[in-house]
Amino acid sequence: MDTLAWNRFQFAFTITYHYLFPQLTMGLALLIVVFKTIAFRRNDSHYHDVARFWARIFGINFAIGVVTGIPMEFQFGTNWARFSDYSGGVIGLTLAMEGMFAFFAESAFLGLFLFGEKKLSPKMHLFSAFMVFAGSWLSGYFIIVTNAFMQHPVGYAIGTDGRLHLANFWAYLLNPWSIWQYLHNMCAAVVTGSFVVTAVGAYWTLMGLHKESARICLKVGVIAALASCVIQLFPTGDMHGKMMARYQKPALAAMEGKFESGTHAELAIIGQPNVPARRLENPIYVPWVLSFLAYGDFGAEVQGLNDIPKDQWPDNIELLYYAYHIMVGLGTMFLGVTGLATLLLITKRLERSRWMLWILMCAFPFPYIATTAGWMVAELGRQPWLIYGLMRTSHGTSPTVPAGNVAFTSLGFMGLYAVMGVLFLYLVGRELSRGPQPPQSGHDAVADAEA
């Protein structure tokens, strides 16, 4: 591979691995607030215990996420120096705001929540949970704004030095692309968090452990999973798709394997893109649906790749196509599973339906796969642009960093992250074996963590 390919591989690997952790923290942050709010209103010790348990999981996940996220910040300078030099006057703002405001708020209040329960009043402890949630979701927004600028740049000006400068702060911060991308992303995080909570509740139920806590995890997790899956589809997924249809027509055509332009465009449920022959093989179509989904009109024309200059095509159409269909297929399956689980919950049969409990327990890895596929769609669809319409990916690398250096450090990251993954699984496994526990003093909590 050449230097560009190694740079892209390294960033793709580090960011894909890293995002396994923030999506769970952002999803759990909301659910912990739900648990604490119910506990506060009902003065229910079981809800307090569940919130405390998931806060410990949150803390472990947060710590690993911080460690795995640090190398990405350095890669902007080491691997993508020309990109940073060109766009740093714009994207540096939100990256700095994420670290200075959201991250520090989340970190500080997480410490209060984990170690201050016996020192704080119930209201203040609930407030600390809310601030952890606010900090984590605000952090997500600043990162999404940065990425949205790369997808759909707004609020910028090109200075006399040839670099990008921030011309309109509010246009940049409230980029319409970022609004829908953020809502879609956060719904996905809640899907991940709720599936993990539900899986643990199902496991405890099947094993006959922590029965009341298991019941709470199942109830809250299943309801949150269904609600987030529905919102993930509509309106967030629908509107994000319409943004792509409007501003990234090559990406839409590649995602759907559509080569010929036309009105009343059909939606491909399945098929295999044959790029050299410029056709979709063995397709199963739903007539007219793509036109409606993309533009809200069954008769709207959808542009195919044949009418787009080839140098504007995404550079890996096959991977983009399959990633998109994996994401959509899993999202559809999530709706079916959570809908059926909710029906069993309402009819009070969920805890007795061992087959569904096994499904819920084994389903938690699939939201991680779906979110990874979703980010692949976003990033592969933007190619060949690093900043859409302004800078090509091939023009953003560091010219003095050879491929061998990037390959060597990539191997180092892979080894380090493997160790971090084993440590994460050990720590989470230890917490699962302990289960929900009564509150500890700050001294006891620290001593227990050191043990």
Side-chain angles (χ1 to χ4, degrees):
M1 296 195 300
D2 60 12
T3 305
L4 174 61
W6 273 113
N7 281 321
R8 292 181 66 184
F9 170 80
Q10 184 177 104
F11 198 84
F13 170 76
T14 53
I15 199 168
T16 299
Y17 192 96
H18 165 70
Y19 193 64
L20 297 174
F21 303 99
Q23 63 180 296
L24 182 58
T25 58
M26 292 185 294
L28 284 181
L30 176 61
L31 295 176
I32 290 171
V33 170
V34 172
F35 290 135
K36 284 298 295 184
T37 301
I38 296 174
F40 178 78
R41 290 185 174 180
R42 298 182 182 179
N43 194 24
D44 189 324
S45 62
H46 294 294
Y47 275 94
H48 280 299
D49 293 342
V50 170
R52 198 177 302 113
F53 169 80
W54 285 111
R56 297 202 303 271
I57 301 296
F58 181 104
I60 295 169
N61 205 76
F62 177 80
I64 301 296
V66 170
V67 174
T68 57
I70 290 173
M72 293 188 305
E73 301 289 340
F74 287 98
Q75 285 179 58
F76 286 120
T78 57
N79 299 48
W80 302 95
R82 288 186 291 177
F83 163 71
S84 299
D85 181 62
Y86 179 67
S87 64
V90 178
I91 67 170
L93 174 68
T94 41
L95 291 176
M97 292 174 70
E98 189 272 338
M100 293 177 63
F101 302 126
F103 176 77
F104 282 119
E106 181 182 7
S107 304
F109 283 99
L110 177 61
L112 289 175
F113 185 81
L114 288 174
F115 303 118
E117 185 171 1
K118 287 192 171 182
K119 299 292 185 180
L120 300 173
S121 67
K123 285 185 178 180
M124 286 303 299
H125 198 243
L126 174 60
F127 177 73
S128 67
F130 177 80
M131 288 303 297
V132 171
F133 158 72
S136 65
W137 280 48
L138 185 61
S139 177
Y141 185 73
F142 288 139
I143 297 300
I144 291 293
V145 168
T146 306
N147 183 265
F149 178 79
M150 299 166 68
Q151 303 283 353
H152 176 56
V154 296
Y156 71 93
I158 300 178
T160 56
D161 56 0
R163 298 181 178 91
L164 298 183
H165 297 273
L166 189 64
N168 189 324
F169 171 77
W170 291 110
Y172 170 66
L173 196 64
L174 301 177
N175 185 343
W177 188 289
S178 67
I179 300 298
W180 290 111
Q181 184 180 6
Y182 174 72
L183 294 174
H184 192 59
N185 184 83
M186 301 315 288
C187 282
V190 177
V191 171
T192 299
S194 57
F195 266 72
V196 170
V197 169
T198 303
V200 172
Y203 168 73
W204 284 341
T205 304
L206 289 167
M207 296 296 104
L209 302 171
H210 317 297
K211 293 183 179 180
E212 192 58 39
S213 295
R215 188 173 295 114
I216 291 170
C217 288
L218 279 175
K219 180 179 179 180
V220 174
V222 165
I223 293 173
L226 177 61
S228 55
C229 285
V230 171
I231 300 172
Q232 181 77 349
L233 176 65
F234 183 86
T236 66
D238 176 68
M239 291 303 299
H240 193 209
K242 285 180 167 58
M243 294 291 293
M244 186 167 287
R246 181 177 180 183
Y247 296 110
Q248 292 188 5
K249 296 182 188 298
L252 175 67
M255 286 159 49
E256 297 292 346
K258 186 168 183 60
F259 291 91
E260 297 293 337
S261 302
T263 60
H264 302 88
E266 66 279 359
L267 178 71
I269 300 298
I270 196 171
Q272 299 86 45
N274 185 336
V275 177
R278 299 194 178 195
R279 67 172 181 266
L280 188 66
E281 297 181 343
N282 307 311
I284 298 176
Y285 288 126
V286 180
W288 299 11
V289 172
L290 180 57
S291 289
F292 179 77
L293 292 178
Y295 299 106
D297 179 359
F298 286 107
E301 180 178 7
V302 177
Q303 191 174 24
L305 289 170
N306 288 341
D307 291 329
I308 298 171
K310 195 167 183 179
D311 65 350
Q312 303 293 320
W313 290 15
D315 50 22
N316 197 328
I317 292 174
E318 296 89 347
L319 185 57
L320 172 58
Y321 173 88
Y322 288 119
Y324 171 70
H325 282 78
I326 288 171
M327 176 190 69
V328 173
L330 287 176
T332 304
M333 291 172 57
F334 296 159
L335 277 172
V337 169
T338 56
L340 182 55
T342 302
L343 179 62
L344 292 172
L345 178 67
I346 292 172
T347 57
K348 302 185 184 303
R349 291 182 292 168
L350 180 58
E351 295 178 44
R352 302 194 303 273
S353 302
R354 294 183 65 85
W355 58 274
M356 177 53 75
L357 293 175
W358 274 99
I359 291 174
L360 293 174
M361 185 180 71
C362 296
F364 79 90
F366 292 97
Y368 288 98
I369 298 173
T371 53
T372 299
W375 273 109
M376 289 175 67
V377 170
E379 299 308 291
L380 291 170
R382 190 182 69 235
Q383 300 303 319
W385 300 101
L386 196 50
I387 304 175
Y388 203 83
L390 296 177
M391 175 180 247
R392 287 182 175 265
T393 304
S394 57
H395 298 159
T397 57
S398 303
T400 59
V401 179
N405 287 5
V406 184
F408 177 76
T409 52
S410 296
L411 292 173
F413 284 135
M414 294 170 73
L416 174 63
Y417 284 8
V419 173
M420 297 300 296
V422 172
L423 177 61
F424 171 77
L425 293 175
Y426 166 74
L427 293 173
V428 170
R430 187 178 68 169
E431 292 302 328
L432 286 174
S433 66
R434 292 178 175 179
Q437 295 177 338
Q440 297 175 302
S441 66
H443 175 75
D444 293 339
V446 172
D448 188 54
E450 291 175 347

